[in-house]
Amino acid sequence: MAHNMHPASAQQSLIEFVKRDLESNSKDNMTKSGVILTRVHAELLLVDLFSRRNFDFVAGDKYIGCSKGACYFCAQYISMHHKNFVSPAAHNKVLVGVRGPEPDSERDVHGRGARLAKRLEERVSWKVEQDILASLRQGANLITFQHCSSNGSSRAPSVMN
């Protein structure tokens, strides 16, 4: 995966992004123990369910959406999924603490699901990195905190260390 920036410039841009994120979001995203609170959005749970069980779509329309548009992460995840789902309607807000579904060892055949999940995570991470770098190159201050839900709550029931 080639990068368009010199490695030192890319590293400096990512450092600046992390600095901005920590300044504006640190108390909402982490507990005192340093555990990052995360959540899997509903549309990603549906993507995972339809993908694992090979469900049919009405008239072959591989669209999965919810009552509100997808956040930036979910939109990227769905558009890069190996099952070629239709890109959802999206508000594209950058929400912290969003993650993809975990591989399921009970339904995973010979590690295939875990490999596919890892490949998808790598593709999405690369796209996110490219978009961060593009935003920082433009000098835009588009990095703002957004709550994970419409009720203003940003606490999540699951954790990742």
Side-chain angles (χ1 to χ4, degrees):
M1 294 177 207
H3 298 285
N4 297 331
M5 294 178 75
H6 184 275
S9 296
Q11 182 178 15
Q12 184 58 42
S13 294
L14 289 173
I15 289 169
E16 181 63 25
F17 173 79
V18 169
K19 179 181 155 199
R20 288 182 194 181
D21 186 55
L22 288 174
E23 287 171 355
S24 64
N25 300 328
S26 62
K27 68 181 175 189
D28 289 324
N29 297 333
M30 297 181 75
T31 66
K32 291 179 182 176
S33 66
V35 174
I36 299 173
L37 302 171
T38 62
R39 143 177 306 146
V40 179
H41 285 172
E43 56 265 58
L44 297 190
L45 293 172
L46 290 170
V47 163
D48 190 57
L49 181 68
F50 272 66
S51 175
R52 288 181 184 280
R53 297 199 182 164
N54 289 316
F55 286 157
D56 291 327
F57 288 82
V58 174
D61 182 10
K62 295 174 89 174
Y63 180 84
I64 293 178
C66 292
S67 60
K68 60 183 177 180
C71 71
Y72 169 81
F73 175 78
C74 290
Q76 298 305 321
Y77 186 98
I78 293 169
S79 69
M80 294 184 172
H81 196 278
H82 68 280
K83 293 279 183 138
N84 299 317
F85 294 109
V86 174
S87 294
H91 57 68
N92 278 315
K93 290 179 182 173
V94 176
L95 305 177
V96 294
V98 179
R99 65 175 171 83
E102 295 289 323
D104 185 343
S105 59
E106 290 182 22
R107 290 188 238 150
D108 193 1
V109 180
H110 307 296
R112 184 171 184 265
R115 285 192 305 274
L116 288 170
K118 181 167 178 43
R119 217 175 300 142
L120 179 57
E121 180 183 333
E122 289 169 352
R123 291 176 68 197
V124 171
S125 293
W126 180 82
K127 175 68 168 120
V128 169
E129 179 182 311
Q130 296 306 304
D131 288 349
I132 290 168
L133 294 173
S135 177
L136 292 171
R137 273 196 302 270
Q138 295 168 3
N141 189 6
L142 302 175
I143 304 166
T144 60
F145 177 75
Q146 300 291 334
H147 287 289
C148 288
S149 68
S150 58
N151 70 1
S153 168
S154 290
R155 295 290 176 212
S158 57
V159 298
M160 291 192 69
N161 291 325

